[in-house]
């Protein structure tokens, strides 16, 4: 999809958007699409776009995933997750219906913000504000997007980690198919774990001292990756596209958390704190994900943030 086509689609769906950079190299920010980011290089939108989500509206009968690069609260599941407040999986309407506004805009940087009240699976309400500070740098063949992802706790009382677990979690989505994979530096097998069914048959350790995990749409799976890994990279040889995602390390006061889609009857696993994640779906799309952390106690007004840099390159893979 061309950038101009995405802008026209947003206008047809009456979804506000903002273009940072240019239609040749920039990012379309979907202010009425969960604040999602759609990277553009050489006039082409690189992230997945779901036209039905741009033209329609999500509700309890069905979630329309816009694609792009979104900011969600982690964890997804467990008794402290945010997708099971009604007992079954559902994207919170505060998130899917969020209306972001621009708080700062320059030729190279845009900051957007939305107030999003959350309810975890234990029934605790968490008033919050989501913010994304997006900065761009471009060359002829690549676009580097750095985003400070933050969730601010707006509540009046201090919360313990045992009752409220929350961290910023950014998910970049792409169309995928034959030959597509994600690679990342060698790490001990204990530094990779499955969030759904076993997926050992999807990955191998190459002679380049990197793990290669297939994201060709052949199997639905998700893996968590420990903080021993500093980056993950999606490769799509069909488009000559590589997307490398890195995230700054957390300060000592924060810890990575279990982001898994666990049943709401289960506790989160403290030993499985994910810095990165890879999701592959048989519907022909995949995600490269990065997460921040959570403190032992969350104070009123506290900002939980992580800085994530994603470099998009077009050329030979």
């Amino acid at each position: 999809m061309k950038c101009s086509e995405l802008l026209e689609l947003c206008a047809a769906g009456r979804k506000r958007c903002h273009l940072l950079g240019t239609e040749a190299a920039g990012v379309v920010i979907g202010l009425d699409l969960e604040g999602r980011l759609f990277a553009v290089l050489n006039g082409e939108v690189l992230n997945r776009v779901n036209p039905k989500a741009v033209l329609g509206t999500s509700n309890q009968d069905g979630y329309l995933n816009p694609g792009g690069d979104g900011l969600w609260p982690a964890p997804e599941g467990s008794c402290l997750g945010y997708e099971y407040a009604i007992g079954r999986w559902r994207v919170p309407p505060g998130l899917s219906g969020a209306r972001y506004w621009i708080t700062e805009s320059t030729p190279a940087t845009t900051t957007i913000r939305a107030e999003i009240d959350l309810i975890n699976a234990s029934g605790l309400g968490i008033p919050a504000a989501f913010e994304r500070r997006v900065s761009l740098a471009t060359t002829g063949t690549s676009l580097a997007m750095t985003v400070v992802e933050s969730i601010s706790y707006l509540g009046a009382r201090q919360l313990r980690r045992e009752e409220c677990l929350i961290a910023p979690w950014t998910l970049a989505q792409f169309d995928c198919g034959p030959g597509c994979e994600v690679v990342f530096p060698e790490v001990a097998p204990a530094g990779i774990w499955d969030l759904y069914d076993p997926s050992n048959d999807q990955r191998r350790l190459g002679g380049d001292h990197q793990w290669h995990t297939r994201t060709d749409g052949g199997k639905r799976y998700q893996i968590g990756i420990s903080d021993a890994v500093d980056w993950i990279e999606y490769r799509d040889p069909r488009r000559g596209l590589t997307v490398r995602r890195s995230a700054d390390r957390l300060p000592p006061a924060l810890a990575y958390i279990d982001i898994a889609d666990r049943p709401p009857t289960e506790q989160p696993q403290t030993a499985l704190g994910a810095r990165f994640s890879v999701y592959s779906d048989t519907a022909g799309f995949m995600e490269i994900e990065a997460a921040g952390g959570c403190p032992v106690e969350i104070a009123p007004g506290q900002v939980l943030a992580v800085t994530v840099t994603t470099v998009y390159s077009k050329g030979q893979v």
Side-chain angles (χ1 to χ4, degrees):
M1 177 179 287
K2 296 296 184 183
C3 180
S4 58
E5 294 173 323
L6 176 56
L7 295 174
E8 291 170 0
L9 189 63
C10 288
R14 297 186 177 181
K15 301 295 196 301
R16 293 174 306 132
C17 65
H18 173 77
L19 176 62
L20 175 62
T22 69
E23 291 189 29
V27 57
V28 176
I29 303 174
L31 299 171
D32 291 337
L33 291 168
E34 301 179 16
R36 299 218 177 189
L37 313 175
F38 299 85
V40 177
L41 190 60
N42 299 327
E44 177 190 357
V45 179
L46 304 180
N47 296 94
R48 180 176 185 258
V49 178
N50 180 4
K52 290 183 179 179
V54 182
L55 298 174
T57 302
S58 295
N59 56 42
Q60 65 178 357
D61 296 323
Y63 173 60
L64 301 175
N65 192 321
D69 174 347
L71 171 61
W72 276 18
E76 181 172 3
S78 84
C79 61
L80 299 181
Y82 298 100
E83 312 301 314
Y84 289 93
I86 63 172
R88 58 179 174 82
W89 192 92
R90 179 190 67 158
V91 176
L95 184 64
S96 62
R99 291 178 60 83
Y100 279 80
W101 69 90
I102 297 172
T103 62
E104 175 193 15
S105 185
T106 72
T109 302
T110 295
T111 302
I112 62 173
R113 184 178 176 91
E115 294 182 5
I116 301 174
D117 290 349
L118 302 167
I119 303 173
N120 68 19
S122 296
L124 178 66
I126 300 102
F130 286 43
E131 187 172 276
R132 314 190 79 184
R133 188 177 190 274
V134 187
S135 302
L136 291 183
T138 61
T139 67
T141 58
S142 67
L143 180 147
M145 181 176 72
T146 298
V147 186
V148 181
E149 309 277 17
S150 65
I151 298 177
S152 301
Y153 170 52
L154 304 181
R157 73 174 180 89
Q158 191 153 299
L159 300 174
R160 305 181 314 278
R161 188 185 291 171
E162 292 77 15
E163 62 180 330
C164 176
L165 197 62
I166 188 169
W169 179 26
T170 175
L171 311 89
Q173 198 171 99
F174 302 90
D175 294 316
C176 65
C180 294
E181 64 173 359
V182 172
V183 302
F184 51 92
E186 181 177 356
V187 65
I192 311 167
W193 59 92
D194 283 293
L195 278 64
Y196 294 115
D197 295 330
S199 64
N200 293 33
D201 59 337
Q202 299 300 298
R203 60 184 175 270
R204 62 179 176 83
L205 184 60
D208 54 1
H209 299 288
Q210 294 179 349
W211 284 101
H212 295 246
T213 186
R214 291 197 296 272
T215 56
D216 55 8
K219 182 175 183 176
R220 180 179 181 264
Y221 73 90
Q222 186 174 10
I223 55 173
I225 302 171
S226 77
D227 66 349
V229 170
D230 288 327
W231 55 266
I232 58 177
E233 183 176 279
Y234 173 59
R235 297 175 179 175
D236 183 348
R238 307 167 308 162
R239 302 169 67 186
L241 174 66
T242 62
V243 185
R244 178 171 291 202
R245 172 156 272 202
S246 58
D248 287 359
R249 289 194 172 274
L250 299 180
L254 301 181
Y256 293 105
I257 67 171
D258 178 10
I259 66 174
D261 183 12
R262 300 185 182 281
T265 54
E266 295 184 6
Q267 292 283 336
Q269 300 298 302
T270 56
L272 298 179
R275 184 181 186 183
F276 298 106
S277 180
V278 178
Y279 175 73
S280 182
D281 198 284
T282 53
F285 72 91
M286 58 78 62
E287 295 173 345
I288 48 175
E289 309 173 357
C294 183
V296 174
E297 293 186 329
I298 307 170
Q302 185 162 4
V303 179
L304 307 176
V306 63
T307 300
V308 178
T309 297
T310 307
V311 179
Y312 299 82
S313 302
K314 289 298 293 288
Q316 189 69 31
V317 175

